[in-house]
Amino acid sequence: MCSAVLRKAECCNDKDAQGLKAKPRRASSEFTSRKKAMAQEDLKGKWALILGASSGFGAATALELARYGVNIIGLHLDRGPALEAVKELVGQIESCGVQVHYLNMNIANAEKRSDAVAQIKAWLGEDKLHMVMHSVAFGSLQPFIGPDAEHQLTQTQLEMTLDVMANSLVYWVQDLWHANLLGRGSRVFSMTSAGSEEVFRTYGAVSAAKSALESHTRQLALELGKHGVMVNCIMAGVTDTPALRKIPGNDEIVAIAMRRNPTGRLTTPRDVAVTIRALCDPEIERINGAVIVVDGGERISM
């Protein structure tokens, strides 16, 4: 009797192996398609402003949101050959059938910021920005203590790094708020890294900026929360971006991350972009003032 039961179970398992298990996969695929269609409907026609939109996390997020029908305003600072890559990116975004406006400017310049906010207001009219992303990577990589005074971080470099990579978040949110471009349901994302808490040679100024950025994010979340604006920080794992490649010793950083990451790979810009797009779901209303880690478990592993 036991043998008969076992044979029957094996028979059922054989049938499963021959195709019965494929049905849940098809159902899952259909569910995913319906879910994506619903998300596209929720986001279609909304506006996103991305500071640092020409490469890395900013570019990937612009493309991901555009695929879901979000209109994109991208600010970047590129010169020479890099402009061809920006032109190609804009073409990819336009192919998604959304409105696209890219401005080549210094996002840390107060006068240019004021002009840009006025231009954004003209484009949006009475609409609000659904999402603002601060993904600005521009700072000094000089060590605090060098072999001599000429080869170490200066006061000007430190202040510039903090102003561009951290303080500019506050200035942009202030101007967008007073221009009535943010409101209930808007969300702001800043981009931090594990360097806000961990140290690496030549990363001192950027580390300080990332720590300040997280603090600014929490303060903005506190002050804007009552207005229904969510402000959060994304902490990506080590990612192969142009910004990473500029850090001296980046190959060592990559090697450590590969060894530590439980997934066996680095985080990608699209990993971050998909996360941000998911957090743009209008139904998500209770995540505020958080540092959201997107790294596949890199930080929890020794």
Side-chain angles (χ1 to χ4, degrees):
M1 182 174 176
C2 291
S3 298
V5 171
L6 285 172
R7 282 196 297 274
K8 185 176 181 181
E10 289 169 356
C11 178
C12 290
N13 288 334
D14 287 343
K15 288 180 180 179
D16 285 344
Q18 292 169 9
L20 290 180
K21 286 186 178 179
K23 290 183 179 179
R25 284 197 291 270
R26 286 197 295 270
S28 176
S29 177
E30 291 169 5
F31 174 76
T32 301
S33 297
R34 288 198 303 271
K35 189 175 177 182
K36 181 176 180 179
M38 290 172 64
Q40 287 173 323
E41 190 62 31
D42 287 338
L43 293 176
K44 187 176 182 180
K46 294 187 182 299
W47 287 90
L49 168 64
I50 300 176
L51 310 178
S54 62
S55 64
F57 299 123
T61 302
L63 274 171
E64 178 68 16
L65 290 176
R67 293 188 183 107
Y68 280 72
V70 178
N71 301 313
I72 304 297
I73 300 171
L75 307 187
H76 66 105
L77 183 60
D78 289 283
R79 298 287 186 266
L83 290 175
E84 282 302 311
V86 175
K87 184 177 179 180
E88 182 179 345
L89 172 64
V90 170
Q92 291 177 315
I93 297 171
E94 287 176 335
S95 70
C96 297
V98 300
Q99 297 183 57
V100 187
H101 303 286
Y102 262 56
L103 298 175
N104 193 0
M105 58 169 284
N106 178 2
I107 67 101
N109 182 287
E111 184 177 348
K112 293 184 182 299
R113 182 178 67 249
S114 179
D115 291 343
V117 170
Q119 181 62 74
I120 294 168
K121 182 66 177 175
W123 285 327
L124 268 65
E126 296 302 312
D127 287 345
K128 308 285 188 189
L129 288 166
H130 183 65
M131 192 279 279
V132 177
M133 179 183 184
H134 184 279
S135 181
V136 183
F138 184 81
S140 177
L141 293 170
Q142 290 293 325
F144 282 3
I145 308 299
D148 53 60
E150 293 184 3
H151 296 87
Q152 65 186 25
L153 190 71
T154 66
Q155 179 178 342
T156 299
Q157 290 171 330
L158 178 58
E159 291 174 352
M160 176 274 293
T161 302
L162 285 164
D163 203 48
V164 174
M165 297 187 70
N167 300 342
S168 63
L169 170 69
V170 177
Y171 309 144
W172 273 95
V173 173
Q174 286 174 332
D175 287 2
L176 292 170
W177 175 255
H178 291 298
N180 204 30
L181 285 164
L182 298 174
R184 187 162 297 278
S186 296
R187 51 214 66 206
V188 178
F189 298 102
S190 59
M191 295 297 303
T192 188
S193 72
S196 64
E197 301 173 2
E198 300 174 358
V199 294
F200 189 81
R201 61 182 182 274
T202 77
Y203 201 70
V206 178
S207 178
K210 293 300 187 183
S211 296
L213 185 70
E214 292 178 19
S215 179
H216 292 343
T217 298
R218 288 189 291 270
Q219 187 66 29
L220 288 168
L222 172 69
E223 297 187 24
L224 291 176
K226 63 184 178 184
H227 301 289
V229 178
M230 293 181 292
V231 189
N232 291 291
C233 207
I234 303 293
M235 180 182 286
V238 173
T239 309
D240 185 12
T241 63
L244 175 69
R245 293 179 211 131
K246 291 178 182 177
I247 300 174
N250 62 81
D251 53 343
E252 182 182 348
I253 295 174
V254 168
I256 293 171
M258 287 291 292
R259 186 170 65 248
R260 289 175 58 179
N261 203 306
T263 66
R265 68 171 177 84
L266 296 182
T267 302
T268 68
R270 188 169 186 275
D271 291 329
V272 172
V274 169
T275 301
I276 290 176
R277 184 259 302 157
L279 292 169
C280 282
D281 184 333
E283 289 192 17
I284 294 179
E285 298 179 334
R286 301 299 293 173
I287 301 176
N288 193 34
V291 175
I292 301 165
V293 180
V294 184
D295 70 355
E298 182 180 305
R299 295 207 72 209
I300 65 171
S301 179
M302 297 298 291

